[in-house]
Amino acid sequence: MSEGLVGTKCMWMRGGTSKGGYFLAADLPGNREDRDRFLLSVMGSPDARQIDGMGGADPLTSKVAIVEASARDDADVSYLFLQVSVDKALVSDAQNCGNLLAGVGPFAIERGLVKAEKGETSIRIYMENTGKIATSRISTPDGRLTYVGKAAIDGVPGIAAPILLAFEDTAGSTCGSLLPTGNVVDRIEDTDVTCIDNGMPTIILRATDLGISGQETRQELESNNGLRERLENIRLAAGPKMNLGNVSQKTVPKMTMVSTATKGGTLSTRTFIPHRCHASIGVLGAVSVATACLVQGSIANELAQNIADRPKEPSRPLKIEHPIGETTIITTLDNAGSVASAAILRTARKLFDGEVFAPANMNTSHG
């Protein structure tokens, strides 16, 4: 038996195009400082390689979902997302994560928080980060959870069981309103931007205004120090205008550079989250960008293809292109033509279920 380490029950899962540790709230320290210190140890942060932990040296693989049965009448489970910084001793709850959200439903069934129904199980998830509800529809043939299916999403090899995530009433969930500055377009740091929040605070910019085409690879963009500095200056200046205050130590807003789609989609994107370039695009970030495509006069709207000429169907798929493919957001419009709800297809897979270990001098008991 090993000494000096203590194990805590955890399930590691891929959710959408991200992966991370899923914990029951009762299995983690109740004190926030103790919890964060424990999670930093689990991930191996701060260290660029996260060599002494489970993190994958990338923000997309350094994530945590904390789940518990919900006391709310309108939800089955509650989900708190935490972004664990790779190279900083920082654990942030300032944003949500729609990719890890894809694994919350299966995890809730695995842990007995929700009973699987025959055919399909619908789970109402209260997202603690934003105070909103998402509905996850999960394949449960014969009342049993399965990860096997025929659904495919860009950025994940192979196929898996489909998980449909639906979001309603997410406008302004972090910033207080869909357009938190009160404007469709703002001029910030001599650059035109659209600031929007439909589930994820996002700043949308024309790629060409930043001296790029918008079709560069993730590696090319991350090596462009001038671009990164300019994006951060805009982000810091925009934070207070978006009701986010000083964002120097926050993971929001995200920075999405847009250009004309090249593969038959609605719009092409490259997103910094905020200091690393996303391999694809986050779920709720894609929802915010798709919504901006439908806001007349926005930066995204002016570049979006087949938007202005299309009738206002109640349901409209918008294909958001990104470095490794595209993400389709299915929007539902209200009578005024505004986005009333959005849905996205994701998949998830259980990777391991067991214990993760941290130094024994850390308090890993709840309460």
Side-chain angles (χ1 to χ4, degrees):
M1 183 175 179
S2 62
E3 295 183 359
L5 297 176
V6 61
T8 299
K9 193 172 183 181
C10 172
M11 185 179 292
W12 222 261
M13 301 184 76
R14 174 186 63 77
T17 55
S18 296
K19 63 181 176 181
Y22 289 69
F23 296 86
L24 289 176
D27 292 332
L28 289 174
N31 177 277
R32 179 169 179 166
E33 289 186 4
D34 291 340
R35 180 202 70 188
D36 290 355
R37 187 164 55 249
F38 168 73
L39 294 175
L40 286 165
S41 177
V42 166
M43 287 296 183
S45 299
D47 173 51
R49 296 184 300 154
Q50 291 184 317
I51 195 64
D52 196 38
M54 297 297 298
D58 190 295
L60 304 183
T61 58
S62 187
K63 298 183 173 186
V64 168
I66 301 177
V67 184
E68 62 184 333
S70 178
R72 298 171 60 96
D73 293 335
D74 58 353
D76 301 301
V77 297
S78 292
Y79 154 57
L80 175 67
F81 168 71
L82 297 175
Q83 179 71 60
V84 181
S85 179
V86 174
D87 55 359
K88 298 179 181 178
L90 175 65
V91 179
S92 174
D93 63 0
Q95 69 176 76
N96 206 338
C97 179
N99 273 304
L100 236 59
L101 174 67
V104 170
F107 177 75
I109 294 174
E110 292 266 16
R111 287 290 189 258
L113 300 180
V114 176
K115 182 180 179 181
E117 304 292 337
K118 289 186 177 181
E120 182 180 86
T121 302
S122 181
I123 301 177
R124 300 167 301 168
I125 302 170
Y126 176 67
M127 300 178 290
E128 293 187 31
N129 303 75
T130 57
K132 302 296 182 180
I133 304 288
T135 301
S136 178
R137 290 167 50 191
I138 302 164
S139 297
T140 49
D142 300 320
R144 300 180 64 182
L145 178 65
T146 180
Y147 296 99
V148 178
K150 298 182 179 181
I153 59 174
D154 287 341
V156 177
I159 55 177
I163 297 173
L164 186 67
L165 300 175
F167 305 92
E168 295 184 8
D169 191 31
T170 54
S173 55
T174 300
C175 299
S177 60
L178 180 67
L179 300 172
T181 69
N183 303 313
V184 175
V185 175
D186 290 281
R187 186 80 173 172
I188 300 178
E189 296 290 303
D190 296 322
T191 306
D192 288 338
V193 303
T194 291
C195 301
I196 191 166
D197 172 18
N198 196 15
M200 179 63 70
T202 304
I203 299 174
I204 300 174
L205 317 90
R206 299 182 193 91
T208 54
D209 286 350
L210 298 166
I212 63 171
S213 69
Q215 299 303 313
E216 289 82 0
T217 66
R218 183 187 192 189
Q219 292 73 23
E220 288 172 331
L221 294 174
E222 288 199 343
S223 65
N224 188 335
N225 292 329
L227 171 67
R228 294 176 65 175
E229 182 178 356
R230 186 172 176 187
L231 286 174
E232 183 64 1
N233 288 339
I234 295 170
R235 196 179 77 89
L236 293 176
K241 298 177 185 295
M242 296 178 70
N243 302 317
L244 296 171
N246 182 349
V247 298
S248 60
Q249 298 298 313
K250 295 181 180 179
T251 55
V252 290
K254 310 303 186 187
M255 308 295 291
T256 296
M257 298 166 286
V258 297
S259 57
T260 303
T262 62
K263 301 176 182 177
T266 304
L267 190 70
S268 182
T269 65
R270 297 292 186 270
T271 301
F272 275 75
I273 54 174
H275 304 124
R276 297 282 300 274
C277 186
H278 204 303
S280 54
I281 189 170
V283 168
L284 291 163
V287 170
S288 288
V289 171
T291 301
C293 288
L294 300 174
V295 176
Q296 190 67 35
S298 76
I299 301 296
N301 175 258
E302 70 177 37
L303 292 171
Q305 297 181 336
N306 304 316
I307 294 295
D309 297 334
R310 292 182 64 175
K312 294 181 178 179
E313 306 99 334
S315 181
R316 182 184 301 185
L318 300 177
K319 296 184 177 182
I320 307 302
E321 295 180 2
H322 51 69
I324 56 175
E326 60 92 1
T327 296
T328 298
I329 302 296
I330 303 171
T331 60
T332 300
L333 307 182
D334 59 23
N335 293 333
S338 299
V339 175
S341 66
I344 185 172
L345 176 68
R346 297 280 87 183
T347 63
R349 185 165 81 87
K350 177 169 66 171
L351 302 176
F352 83 69
D353 190 5
E355 292 182 324
V356 290
F357 292 85
N361 60 358
M362 291 185 178
N363 175 21
T364 57
S365 61
H366 190 275

